[in-house]
């Protein structure tokens, strides 16, 4: 980390996108050390004071939680701890060949300010309102640009990449799920969350994507999942050509469904990679993605990580309160004695057992919120040995090299456990109410006013 990026260096980095935690910039300069790389710069909420900027090291409880992993506890800042989390926790679980922990490089305050000013107009309004670049960071993460191949892009080469957010791929079976929330055992969290997002105006159309299809292991299921993601991408499906976005948006509200203009840009892009008759490129692209998802085996590894959440947030929240030595607010709200109620088996566990439950839940949360990046390039000659795996599209007799990676492997703060529980309850409550309203309308029990009619129409 000897080199320090200065204000003038901001000109060589371009806005790529962002999530809730980090801003992502791609390199557009000529320095060999950065070609084919992206920067991840930590953001900070606009709602916290300058003294609560997320730059501090882990909390006392977090140091206990992650104490068994070398280096994490000793990290002097949270950013360094998060890099070590990817390296020490997520790499072994997901496979080091699919995870790049990256390296940290020093930055000046002037560089961060220059970046903030440069990308401001390119950022989605919702993201700008929510957070800004953390001005107190002293380093940023440099990782491989997974939307291109390691050798970079030659003038005559074209690389097509797809980014997919799979979300949670299984239904919980925990005995700690309240009877009134039993719908969680039948309907995926993603599908129920769509109802809340629609209610809150975050989206204007419900996605038909079901993560259970993507994780089914069935080609028909995976194919249907990819098709539904393509038709309503929201922030769960994006496509890049040579590292530049050609389909999908920077944020959920920016690309909820396919428009003619976006579709034309996408079609023009994939024609450079897929050899097919006019009008058939999208079909074969979706088949290419399906075949590669099936062949890569990525989802099998990911599902195992997600299933570390063995008792659902409705169980894990009780372990959390005991672990951080706080009264169990859930038991208190339900009017139960934590040592004699239905959650007594959790509260009676040893501290080590509770620690493991909480830690596994947070690792699972990373697995439910990450993205897969799969990149393709046409193989020009089958006679040339390639270090990359390949997939054949038999219908057009075209072979593609591909590489697959996991990205956005953020460490979840321990304090978010309460947020996860409250959000879970909101999601289920909104979905259950929506179903009741729908049934009442179908049975003619209530009349339909304009707003409710619109709400149900959008749901369908």
């Amino acid at each position: 980390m000897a080199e320090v990026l200065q204000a003038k260096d901001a000109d060589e980095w371009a806005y790529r996108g962002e999530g809730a935690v980090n801003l992502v910039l791609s390199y557009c300069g000529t320095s060999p050390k950065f070609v084919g790389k992206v920067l991840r710069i930590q953001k900070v909420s606009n709602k916290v004071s300058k003294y609560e900027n997320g730059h501090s090291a882990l909390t006392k409880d977090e140091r206990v939680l992650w104490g068994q992993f070398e280096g994490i506890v000793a990290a002097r800042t949270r950013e360094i701890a998060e890099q070590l989390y990817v390296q020490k926790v997520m790499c072994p679980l997901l496979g080091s060949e699919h995870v790049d922990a990256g390296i940290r490089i020093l930055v000046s305050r002037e560089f961060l300010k220059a970046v903030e000013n440069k990308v401001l107009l390119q950022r989605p309004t919702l993201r700008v309102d929510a957070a800004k670049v953390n001005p107190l960071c002293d380093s940023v993460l440099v990782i491989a640009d997974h939307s291109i191949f390691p050798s970079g892009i030659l003038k005559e080469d074209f690389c097509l990449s797809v980014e997919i957010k799979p979300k949670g791929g299984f239904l919980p079976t925990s005995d700690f799920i309240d009877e009134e929330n039993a719908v969680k055992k039948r309907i995926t969290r993603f599908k129920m969350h769509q109802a809340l997002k629609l209610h809150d105006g975050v989206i204007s159309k419900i996605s038909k994507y079901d993560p259970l299809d993507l994780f089914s292991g069935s080609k028909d299921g995976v194919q249907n999942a990819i098709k539904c993601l393509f038709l309503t991408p929201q922030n769960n499906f994006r496509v890049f050509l040579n590292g530049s976005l050609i389909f999908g948006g920077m944020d959920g509200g920016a690309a909820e469904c396919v428009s003619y203009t976006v579709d034309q840009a996408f079609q023009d892009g994939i024609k450079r990679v897929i050899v097919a008759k006019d009008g058939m490129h999208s079909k074969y692209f979706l088949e290419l993605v399906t075949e590669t998802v099936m062949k890569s085996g990525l989802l099998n590894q990911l599902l195992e990580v997600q299933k570390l959440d063995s008792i659902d947030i409705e169980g894990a929240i009780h372990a959390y309160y005991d672990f951080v030595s706080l009264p169990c607010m859930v038991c208190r709200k339900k009017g139960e004695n934590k040592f004699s109620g239905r959650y007594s088996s959790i509260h009676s566990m040893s501290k080590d057992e509770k620690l493991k439950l909480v830690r596994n839940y947070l690792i699972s949360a990373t697995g439910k919120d990450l993205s897969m990046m799969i990149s393709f390039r046409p193989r020009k000659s089958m006679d040339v040995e390639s270090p990359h795996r390949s997939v054949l599209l038999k219908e057009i007799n075209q072979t593609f090299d591909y590489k697959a990676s996991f990205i956005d492997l953020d460490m979840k703060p321990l304090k978010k456990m309460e947020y996860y529980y409250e959000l879970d309850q909101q999601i289920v409550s909104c979905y259950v109410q929506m179903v009741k309203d729908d049934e009442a309308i179908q049975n003619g029990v209530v009349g339909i006013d304009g707003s409710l009619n619109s709400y149900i129409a959008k749901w369908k």
Side-chain angles (χ1 to χ4, degrees), residues 61 319-326 351 414:
D61 289 323
Y320 163 76
Y321 278 119
D322 285 356
F323 176 69
V324 297
S325 303
L326 289 174
K351 185 162 185 175
L414 177 60

Side-chain angles (χ1 to χ4, degrees), residues 9 56 75 77 96 124 154 173 221 231 249 268 312 353 361 378:
D9 298 312
S56 59
T77 67
S96 57
L154 303 177
T173 59
L231 292 175
D268 292 342
D312 190 72
E353 289 175 309
Y361 181 86

Side-chain angles (χ1 to χ4, degrees), residues 190-248:
F190 176 85
K191 294 192 73 172
M192 289 192 290
H193 201 177
Q194 289 282 294
L196 180 61
K197 288 182 175 181
L198 181 66
H199 177 269
D200 290 345
V202 177
I203 59 175
S204 61
K205 182 179 180 180
I206 291 287
S207 170
K208 293 183 179 180
Y209 168 62
D210 188 339
L212 295 184
D213 286 338
L214 190 67
F215 285 87
S216 66
S218 155
K219 183 174 179 179
D220 287 343
V222 174
Q223 198 163 36
N224 185 60
I226 299 300
K227 179 181 177 181
C228 290
L229 284 167
F230 177 69
L231 292 175
T232 314
Q234 295 182 6
N235 66 337
N236 302 304
F237 191 86
R238 301 197 295 170
V239 182
F240 301 86
L241 180 70
N242 288 4
S244 297
L245 185 71
I246 61 170
F247 184 85

Side-chain angles (χ1 to χ4, degrees), residues 18 30 107 175 198 216 272 357 421 447:
E18 62 189 288
T30 58
V107 294
D175 293 335
L198 181 66
S216 66
R272 299 176 179 272
L357 285 175
Y421 177 77

Side-chain angles (χ1 to χ4, degrees), residues 165-172 187-191 209-215 236 299 302-303 306-307 309 364-370:
K165 290 182 78 73
K167 310 306 286 187
F170 72 101
L171 295 174
I187 307 295
T188 61
R189 160 71 170 256
F190 176 85
K191 294 192 73 172
Y209 168 62
D210 188 339
L212 295 184
D213 286 338
L214 190 67
F215 285 87
N236 302 304
L299 292 175
L302 178 55
L303 188 59
Q306 293 184 355
K307 285 186 174 181
D309 170 19
S364 170
T366 296
K368 293 172 186 175
D369 201 34
L370 54 69

Side-chain angles (χ1 to χ4, degrees), residues 268-447:
D268 292 342
I270 61 175
K271 284 178 182 179
R272 299 176 179 272
V273 178
I274 295 176
V275 178
K277 295 179 181 178
D278 284 345
M280 299 295 287
H281 294 87
S282 292
K283 175 181 182 294
Y284 290 125
F285 168 70
L286 297 181
E287 288 188 13
L288 175 62
V289 175
T290 299
E291 292 284 352
T292 310
V293 167
M294 294 285 293
K295 188 172 183 177
S296 70
L298 283 181
L299 292 175
N300 298 329
Q301 294 169 278
L302 178 55
L303 188 59
E304 291 303 308
V305 173
Q306 293 184 355
K307 285 186 174 181
L308 288 173
D309 170 19
S310 59
I311 60 172
D312 190 72
I313 186 60
E314 291 191 53
I317 190 65
H318 297 272
Y320 163 76
Y321 278 119
D322 285 356
F323 176 69
V324 297
S325 303
L326 289 174
C328 182
M329 301 307 295
V330 177
C331 285
R332 179 177 293 183
K333 186 175 181 180
K334 291 179 180 291
E336 295 187 10
N337 183 315
K338 71 178 189 178
F339 294 114
S340 61
R342 63 179 300 191
Y343 306 104
S344 60
S345 60
I346 298 176
H347 289 296
S348 300
M349 289 179 176
S350 69
K351 185 162 185 175
D352 283 346
E353 289 175 309
K354 294 168 186 173
L355 180 154
K356 186 175 181 181
L357 285 175
V358 174
R359 184 174 62 211
N360 282 350
Y361 181 86
L362 291 174
I363 294 172
S364 170
T366 296
K368 293 172 186 175
D369 201 34
L370 54 69
S371 292
M372 298 189 307
M373 183 73 80
I374 306 175
S375 299
F376 311 92
R377 67 179 176 192
R379 180 171 287 189
K380 294 180 178 179
S381 173
M382 294 304 294
D383 297 329
V384 178
E385 188 173 339
S386 171
H388 302 287
R389 299 178 69 182
S390 65
V391 60
L392 170 67
L393 271 188
K394 295 181 180 179
E395 295 90 340
I396 56 176
N397 193 31
Q398 190 175 5
T399 299
F400 299 84
D401 286 331
Y402 77 87
K403 67 184 184 76
S405 307
F406 291 111
I407 61 174
D408 299 336
L409 305 171
D410 299 312
M411 171 192 278
K412 305 302 181 183
L414 177 60
K415 65 182 180 180
K416 286 198 74 171
M417 289 293 291
E418 292 178 276
Y419 165 80
Y420 288 138
Y421 177 77
E422 293 299 331
L423 178 61
D424 178 78
Q425 299 303 292
Q426 290 177 34
I427 287 172
V428 176
S429 176
C430 182
Y431 181 81
V432 169
Q433 185 59 51
M434 185 209 65
V435 172
K436 287 180 180 178
D437 291 344
D438 193 10
E439 290 175 348
I441 291 171
Q442 297 300 326
N443 295 331
V445 176
V446 298

